[in-house]
Amino acid sequence: ANAALVDESASPAFIREMRMYYQDTQVVKGLADACGDFHDVCKVAFFDEGDAAAHELPALKERLGGRHAVILSGENWVDVMRPGVSKGRAMQMLQQLKGLTPENCMAFGDYLNDLELLESVSESYAMENALEELKRVAQHIAPGNDENGVMRVIRERFAL
């Protein structure tokens, strides 16, 4: 399925979070069965209602770090992906497919899962409310994502 799948045992808070980020979120009985053989799974996202950096991240890195990319993607989120899977790699593939160069592309980010994405374009923006590590890598700072920062920059940049 081209959707985000959530096990029915997930908390209502988790399901609300998923629906904010994934347009097609399906609650399923038996997540492992719904995913089939896992060949088409590009990411597994872990949600921690507390502090993912303190809880989920170290535990997942210890268990999966050698075989998978384990990245902090939000205060409450940790992404686990196959090695080599990232937003930056996706941008590079898109550039190659469309005959674009990094100079023809811009990207915005706020968390560590956006690091490689920002490094893959020439016009990189960290959101004002981004992690400091991301702000050091980005060429520009955009208003926060809680202030419609991406759209504000695009409108300004392209005189829309």
Side-chain angles (χ1 to χ4, degrees), residues 87-96 100-109 114-126 134 137-140 157:
K87 292 180 182 182
R89 181 69 184 121
M91 175 59 81
Q92 291 167 350
M93 292 175 72
L94 185 61
Q95 289 167 344
Q96 186 175 28
L100 300 170
T101 65
E103 292 75 28
N104 300 121
C105 301
M106 65 182 350
F108 299 81
D114 299 316
L115 184 62
E116 291 178 30
L117 174 64
L118 296 187
E119 293 173 338
S120 69
V121 301
S122 291
E123 286 287 317
S124 58
Y125 292 82
L134 216 61
V137 170
Q139 292 182 331
H140 309 283
R157 180 78 166 73

Side-chain angles (χ1 to χ4, degrees), residues 108 127 142-155:
F108 299 81
M127 310 314 290
N145 53 16
D146 53 354
E147 298 176 43
N148 209 19
V150 172
M151 289 308 300
R152 287 172 60 185
V153 168
I154 289 173
R155 285 185 183 122

Side-chain angles (χ1 to χ4, degrees), residues 37-154:
D37 61 11
F38 294 98
H39 289 294
D40 292 335
V41 175
C42 66
K43 174 176 81 171
V44 176
F46 291 84
F47 179 74
D48 185 318
E49 291 183 30
D51 180 358
H55 304 121
E56 297 296 329
L57 184 65
L60 289 167
K61 276 193 172 197
E62 183 178 326
R63 280 191 84 181
L64 303 172
R67 298 179 317 235
H68 296 83
V70 180
I71 308 266
L72 190 64
S73 59
E75 183 178 339
N76 304 103
W77 292 93
V78 177
D79 292 346
V80 176
M81 299 162 292
R82 291 185 183 133
V85 172
S86 71
K87 292 180 182 182
R89 181 69 184 121
M91 175 59 81
Q92 291 167 350
M93 292 175 72
L94 185 61
Q95 289 167 344
Q96 186 175 28
L97 181 69
K98 297 295 183 180
L100 300 170
T101 65
E103 292 75 28
N104 300 121
C105 301
M106 65 182 350
F108 299 81
D110 65 345
Y111 241 85
L112 296 179
N113 61 326
D114 299 316
L115 184 62
E116 291 178 30
L117 174 64
L118 296 187
E119 293 173 338
S120 69
V121 301
S122 291
E123 286 287 317
S124 58
Y125 292 82
M127 310 314 290
E128 180 61 42
N129 57 338
L131 293 180
E132 290 302 318
E133 183 176 343
L134 216 61
K135 289 180 181 180
R136 287 191 294 270
V137 170
Q139 292 182 331
H140 309 283
I141 304 296
N145 53 16
D146 53 354
E147 298 176 43
N148 209 19
V150 172
M151 289 308 300
R152 287 172 60 185
V153 168
I154 289 173

